[in-house]
């Protein structure tokens, strides 16, 4: 689950976590955050998600962070966009308009890097990590995000004894433990996504629930 794991997944195009369309939860619930069109948004562990482009189309300044350079290059190549490439500290930065992807380790991100961010969007970052790394991820996210910010978080809940991750099951109690001290949490949607997913179908799972949370920093 460290760098070599994800680099290998991208090198082999084993990216079942990538969605070929903009996430429906993002479309349905993003406006409830009430952000200004030019608000800056952080998207951790972004891959080559189409959600990045959708957020930029809403007028937001988007900061994605991705470890695998293959993913970053594919994102722009698949849109026939030639980004500007520069170096910012330890990050190689790919930029096109108001959208930039910082290629490097999320844990190297600083408060200064995200000082203007008013929100974060996490569809596949938290659930991509095993428990110990989830603890570290949330602690770092909270340490760098500005005091006044919001978030949209998507989690997955299933019987981890029947199938291992990634994606990992993150129970509601764990979400509460991570965030309740510093954030107001509100679940805005819950959906069983077991049907039609071959990997889940073959696992013998009874249910696979996606949960969507709106977070507001206290």
């Amino acid at each position: 689950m460290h760098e070599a794991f994800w680099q290998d997944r991208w090198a082999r195009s084993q990216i079942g976590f990538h969605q070929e369309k903009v996430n429906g939860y993002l479309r349905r619930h993003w406006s409830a955050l009430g952000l200004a069109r030019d608000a800056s948004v952080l998207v951790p562990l972004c891959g080559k998600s189409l959600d990045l482009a959708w957020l930029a189309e809403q007028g937001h300044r988007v900061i994605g962070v991705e470890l695998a350079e293959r993913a970053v290059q594919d994102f722009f190549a698949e849109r026939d966009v030639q980004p500007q490439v520069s170096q910012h500290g330890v990050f190689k930065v790919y930029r096109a308009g108001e959208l930039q992807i910082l290629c490097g380790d999320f844990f190297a991100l600083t408060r200064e890097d995200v000082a203007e961010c008013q929100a974060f969007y996490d569809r596949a970052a938290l659930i991509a990590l095993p428990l110990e790394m989830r603890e570290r991820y949330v602690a770092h996210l909270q340490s760098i995000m500005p005091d006044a910010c919001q978030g949209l978080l998507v989690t997955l809940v299933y019987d981890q004894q029947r199938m291992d991750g990634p994606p990992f099951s993150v129970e509601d109690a764990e979400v509460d433990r991570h965030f309740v001290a510093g954030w107001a949490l509100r679940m805005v949607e819950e959906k069983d996504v077991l049907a039609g997913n071959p990997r889940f179908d073959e696992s013998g799972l009874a249910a696979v629930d996606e949960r969507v949370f709106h977070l507001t920093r206290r």
Side-chain angles (χ1 to χ4, degrees):
M1 292 308 303
H2 294 279
E3 178 175 356
F5 174 88
W6 293 110
Q7 298 287 8
D8 183 65
R9 290 286 292 267
W10 280 101
R12 297 171 179 268
S13 294
Q14 294 178 344
I15 52 172
F17 48 83
H18 176 70
Q19 296 185 339
E20 296 295 342
K21 58 183 179 180
V22 176
N23 184 265
Y25 303 131
L26 177 64
R27 288 183 180 275
R28 286 194 292 277
H29 298 292
W30 189 253
S31 62
L33 275 64
L35 300 173
R37 280 185 56 84
D38 62 351
S40 294
V41 178
L42 175 67
V43 186
L45 284 61
C46 63
K48 60 175 184 176
S49 173
L50 277 65
D51 299 344
L52 294 164
W54 186 88
L55 286 165
E57 288 166 3
Q58 311 315 301
H60 297 313
R61 295 192 291 270
V62 181
I63 302 174
V65 183
E66 172 54 45
L67 185 64
E69 190 169 16
R70 166 72 180 276
V72 182
Q73 293 172 339
D74 284 355
F75 174 83
F76 290 103
E78 289 170 8
R79 286 156 185 78
D80 197 24
V81 173
Q82 184 63 47
Q84 295 178 330
V85 182
S86 61
Q87 194 72 30
H88 173 69
V90 298
F91 291 100
K92 190 172 183 179
V93 181
Y94 288 71
R95 181 192 297 271
E98 294 299 326
L99 191 158
Q100 61 177 317
I101 302 179
L102 279 59
C103 184
D105 185 354
F106 169 77
F107 296 106
L109 207 63
T110 68
R111 285 183 65 88
E112 291 72 25
D113 293 327
V114 297
E116 297 183 1
C117 285
Q118 295 171 258
F120 73 89
Y121 168 61
D122 178 343
R123 180 195 70 81
L126 186 68
I127 63 175
L129 304 172
L131 179 58
E132 182 178 336
M133 292 190 74
R134 291 199 296 270
E135 301 275 2
R136 185 182 172 207
Y137 164 78
V138 173
H140 188 65
L141 180 69
Q142 296 191 99
S143 73
I144 62 175
M145 289 298 289
D147 292 339
C149 63
Q150 300 181 71
L152 194 67
L153 170 69
V154 182
T155 64
L156 202 62
V157 178
Y158 63 86
D159 184 355
Q160 193 93 64
Q161 294 183 342
R162 289 189 174 273
M163 187 183 79
D164 199 6
F168 293 95
S169 176
V170 180
E171 300 282 347
D172 295 349
E174 181 182 339
V175 176
D176 287 343
R177 187 176 76 251
H178 287 320
F179 291 103
V180 74
W183 304 75
L185 291 93
R186 182 167 62 94
M187 187 188 299
V188 294
E189 188 169 348
E190 178 180 6
K191 181 179 180 181
D192 187 345
V193 295
L194 176 63
N197 189 309
R199 184 185 179 195
F200 294 152
D201 287 342
E202 295 166 3
S203 66
L205 291 167
V208 179
D209 292 332
E210 284 184 332
R211 313 270 174 84
V212 186
F213 295 89
H214 178 189
L215 295 85
T216 305
R217 196 145 201 182
R218 298 183 191 278

